């Protein structure tokens, strides 16, 4: 009755109405940004009086924006590699190790994900002041790595737990050394977990803004930091253009993730 | 997949030469210890050491009406956002669980897209929408519903609208999973027992989804408590939230002791709520 | 002369619990040996020690006269088929079979030839390029078999390989396994908890219980001449009746049943004093039903028929003795008179000498 859409009776109308409203609430702001980025009004009139690519030109002609884009990308790329490698090792230890305090250690590794980022941001800012790491590439990578690692550990641990350990054992009985069995059988077996670990690690660093705001220097600014500081001054339509680029990237990654899931099911 | 479907004698098939596992977790442990635990502990320590050893920072924090108001704002916004996400998220999760394929997939994609879209991009959209001359105010004025623009931004109203927007997916997704896991035949049974729709809803559906609602609500509440970006951009200087206060104490006032104290207050509340969640519901969803 | 596989007094303890205690067994080259037993009886643990997943706490395992305990699993050159399919999900059927040859760095031409030969052996010639997920359970297990045999291991271990398959497939693959055993001559150690599987496949069966071997022998020996009460109960169906030893001479004893009737000279498993409790065991298919006690009635037990079930080739009868003991009888349907036997009827149960055995408590 209540779980059968066609038998909801008058309740169906209520449900459809709320779903429609919430769907609009979630979708319209995103469409608005995309619209504004092509709109000709500097004052963000909507609907726009005309259409233009001017904000995109301003964006791509500004070396500061390009530099931020590249900075974010470089940091996220290094963070992704390190996060997957360290996360893979930690996941092996957590799922297969036989030592006391494993669950406690797992909880510790996941804590950076659940604590308010602002606390970590302030704490790291103070810590890096002493080490002179604020405003450095290394500093950014270390900080973002702490934020990305939990995602990597969750994705890889889940994949490792689902992977039938007997398959690795079978490879060893077949004559492969334990290391060879891991490289040739286990890693390909958990490749979807590794890919989603990479995806989430990249996004965790790419979208990270709170820590970056504290750590950034005028010379080294990630994309989110530049957006944030621009937003504090005015609501330039260039931000709409940046945001649209980011939304397109997100949609692309979503499609990729959907493909991965489809691949996993077949 | 046929994998491990066959229930069988616990397979002890473990090669002897197991890595101890300890070596493998060392890099992660070193990273988390040095770049997370150490700095956070150092910050909290400063709250009782600076400017001089003692609890004066906590005394100052809890004696100041300004700071208590910040604390009050934080709880008020977090609570409002939580209630709003439950009221909006429950019907949406319900719709997603039972609506015909195409429509539920479409709405699902919208929820995921909004969740994955860059936080700053979404906040920017709300800044544009909520400003004095923004789309919402202009539409309402054109419709003749208001004569003066409503103050929607730089106050807690704006923060609440923006944060509800950001938190909604975190409520919808787990609730959707909860509702999907209900066996539809319980409602057929309830109906045969003579229950009306309303009775089936209050006596069967709500109890069956209560833990899901509670788990989602706790998560949204605790995430809202420590949120920084949205309040910083949509809120006003006179009505701060706790995360903003911590940032401002460090950035503008350089009062590390008081910042540490405020951080500890935030951490204690957060951990306490997570402890409740862990105790009653196990590990919640991943936060993004 | 040394035997092919020599298991000498191996013991495995996990903490204080002994999973396997003092198991010794000699297996000849080319033999098909099955470890049968309930779960937790130590049969799999024994197999895992041979595979090298566990180190024995004591004892030795020798293959062709040489101890293999110091070799890690991957250098024992033993083939193994697991309970679950354990195919490498990212490799095609051919690549799965080639895997053990690749890690042995064999030349490509040899690998190709061997893969073809193995797929022919398990009758999956057309499936070389399929992925494991595209195969049925039975096909996957045949690929696993091909992979385990690809490197010509002298010894093949099979750990309940059919337990994930349904009954019809199980029987089909049993035939395949027997054929492959004949064609390759490989020595097979097979673990199962299914007695039918054990009896139909193997040359010899080792019956495990509580970490020890209760009896080793051909399946027929285990059925016809169980040495312990556990063997009698585990292999085939059995009736057990409580009784008391009345006299004892050599390997035979007289007993008294609860109703006071006396049965003379039954074979007994071990010495037991007069007056000791014992169990009388008779297979349901060895009992004969005749008219109730008369002058010409054969020696036996009187009972009342409490239930009769027709299940195709056989009739099952449930009977109750005067003192409440329960007995089952199975008879081929065609040996029964058309009227059969009616429920409530009093009958006399008898058997041929040698079909009843005594087990001292």
């Amino acid at each position: 009755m209540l779980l059968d859409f066609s038998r909801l009776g008058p309740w169906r109308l209520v449900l459809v109405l709320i779903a429609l409203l919430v769907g609009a609430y979630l979708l319209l702001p995103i469409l608005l940004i995309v619209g504004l980025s092509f709109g000709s009004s500097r004052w963000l009139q909507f609907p726009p009086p005309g259409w233009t690519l001017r904000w995109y030109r301003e964006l791509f002609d500004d070396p500061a924006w390009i530099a931020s884009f590249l900075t974010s990308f470089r940091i996220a790329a290094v963070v992704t590699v390190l996060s997957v490698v360290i996360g893979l090792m930690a996941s092996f230890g957590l799922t297969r190790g036989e030592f006391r305090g494993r669950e406690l250690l797992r909880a510790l590794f996941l804590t950076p994900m659940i604590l308010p980022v602002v606390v970590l941001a302030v704490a790291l800012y103070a810590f890096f002041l002493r080490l002179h790491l604020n405003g450095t590439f290394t500093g950014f990578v270390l900080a973002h790595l702490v934020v990305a690692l939990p995602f990597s550990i969750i994705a890889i641990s889940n994949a490792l737990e689902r992977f039938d350990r007997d398959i690795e054992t079978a490879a060893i009985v077949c004559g492969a050394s334990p290391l060879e069995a891991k490289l040739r059988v286990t890693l390909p077996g958990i490749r979807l977990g590794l890919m989603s670990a990479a995806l989430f690690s990249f996004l965790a660093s790419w979208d990270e803004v709170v820590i970056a705001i504290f750590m950034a220097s005028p010379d080294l600014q990630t994309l989110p930091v530049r957006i944030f500081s621009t937003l504090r001054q005015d609501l330039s339509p260039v931000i709409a253009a940046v945001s649209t680029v980011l939304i397109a990237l997100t949609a692309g990654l979503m499609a990729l993730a959907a493909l991965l899931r489809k691949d996993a099911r077949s | 997949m046929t994998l491990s479907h066959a229930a069988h004698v616990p397979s002890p098939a473990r090669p002897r030469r197991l890595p101890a596992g300890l070596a493998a977790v060392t890099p992660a442990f070193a990273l988390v210890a040095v770049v997370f635990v150490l700095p956070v502990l150092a910050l909290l320590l400063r709250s009782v050491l600076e400017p001089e050893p003692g609890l004066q920072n906590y005394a100052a924090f809890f004696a100041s009406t300004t700071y208590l108001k910040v604390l009050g704002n934080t709880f008020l916004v977090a609570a409002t956002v939580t209630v709003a996400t439950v009221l909006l998220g429950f019907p949406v999760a319900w719709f997603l669980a039972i609506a015909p394929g195409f429509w539920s997939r479409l709405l699902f994609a919208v929820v995921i897209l909004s969740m994955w879209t860059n936080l700053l991009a979404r906040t920017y959209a709300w800044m544009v929408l909520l400003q004095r001359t923004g789309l919402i105010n202009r539409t309402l004025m054109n419709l003749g519903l208001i004569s003066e623009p409503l103050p929607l931004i730089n106050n807690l109203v704006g923060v609440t609208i923006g944060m509800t927007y950001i938190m909604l997916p975190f409520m919808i997704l787990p609730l959707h999973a909860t509702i999907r896991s209900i066996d539809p035949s319980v409602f057929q049974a309830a109906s045969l027992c003579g229950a009306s729709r309303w009775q089936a809803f209050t006596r069967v559906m709500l109890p069956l989804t209560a833990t899901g609602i509670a788990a989602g609500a706790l998560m949204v509440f605790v995430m809202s408590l420590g949120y920084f970006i949205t309040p910083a951009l949509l809120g006003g200087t006179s009505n701060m939230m706790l995360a903003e206060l911590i940032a401002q104490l460090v950035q503008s006032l350089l009062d590390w002791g008081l910042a540490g104290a405020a951080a500890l207050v935030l951490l204690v509340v957060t951990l306490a709520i997570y402890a409740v969640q862990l105790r009653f519901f196990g590990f919640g969803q991943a936060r993004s | 002369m040394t035997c092919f596989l020599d298991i000498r007094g191996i013991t495995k303890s996990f903490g204080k619990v002994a999973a396997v205690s003092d198991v010794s067994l000699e297996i000849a080259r080319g033999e098909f040996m099955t470890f049968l037993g309930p779960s937790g009886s130590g049969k799999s643990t024994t197999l895992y020690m041979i595979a090298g997943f566990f180190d024995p706490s004591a004892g030795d395992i020798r293959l062709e006269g040489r101890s293999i305990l110091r070799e890690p699993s991957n250098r024992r050159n033993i083939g193994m088929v697991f309970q679950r399919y354990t195919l490498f999900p990212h490799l095609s059927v051919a690549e799965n079979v080639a895997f053990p040859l690749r890690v042995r760095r064999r030349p490509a031409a040899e690998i190709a030839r061997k893969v073809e030969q193995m797929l022919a052996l398990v009758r999956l010639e057309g499936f070389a390029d399929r992925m494991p997920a595209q195969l049925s359970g039975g096909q996957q297990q045949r690929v696993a078999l091909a992979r385990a045999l690809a490197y010509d291991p002298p010894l093949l271990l099979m750990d309940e390989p059919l337990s994930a398959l349904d009954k019809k497939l199980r029987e089909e693959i049993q035939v395949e396994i027997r054929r492959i055993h004949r064609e390759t001559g490989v020595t097979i150690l097979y673990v199962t908890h299914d007695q039918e599987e054990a009896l139909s496949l193997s040359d010899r069966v080792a019956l495990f219980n509580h970490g020890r071997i209760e009896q080793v022998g051909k399946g027929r020996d285990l059925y016809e001449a169980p040495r312990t009460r556990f063997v009698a109960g585990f292999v085939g169906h059995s009736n057990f009746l409580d009784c008391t030893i009345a006299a004892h001479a050599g390997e035979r004893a007289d007993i008294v049943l609860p109703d006071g009737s006396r049965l003379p000279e039954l074979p007994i498993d071990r010495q037991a004093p007069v007056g000791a409790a014992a169990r009388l065991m008779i297979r349901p298919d060895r009992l004969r039903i005749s008219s109730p006690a008369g002058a010409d009635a054969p020696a036996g037990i009187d009972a009342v028929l409490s239930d009769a079930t027709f299940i195709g080739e056989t009739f099952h009868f449930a009977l109750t003795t005067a003192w409440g003991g329960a007995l089952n009888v199975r008879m081929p349907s065609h040996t029964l008179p058309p009227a059969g036997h009616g429920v409530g009827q009093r009958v006399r149960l008898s058997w041929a000498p040698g079909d009843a055995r005594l087990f001292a408590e």
Side-chain angles (χ1 to χ4, degrees), chain A residues 110 113-114 154, chain B residues 174 215-216 219 274 277-278 281-287:
Chain A
L110 300 189
M113 191 169 78
I114 62 168
I154 288 176
Chain B
M219 189 167 65
Y274 267 114
Q277 165 144 12
L278 221 57
F281 313 109
F283 245 105
Q285 303 289 311
R287 162 180 168 185

Side-chain angles (χ1 to χ4, degrees), chain A residues 130-157:
Chain A
R130 290 177 194 224
L131 302 177
H132 304 291
L133 281 173
N134 282 323
T136 66
F137 189 79
T138 316
F140 269 109
V141 167
L142 282 176
H144 282 184
L145 195 51
V146 168
V147 178
L149 191 63
F151 294 99
S152 175
I153 289 181
I154 288 176
I156 301 176
S157 292

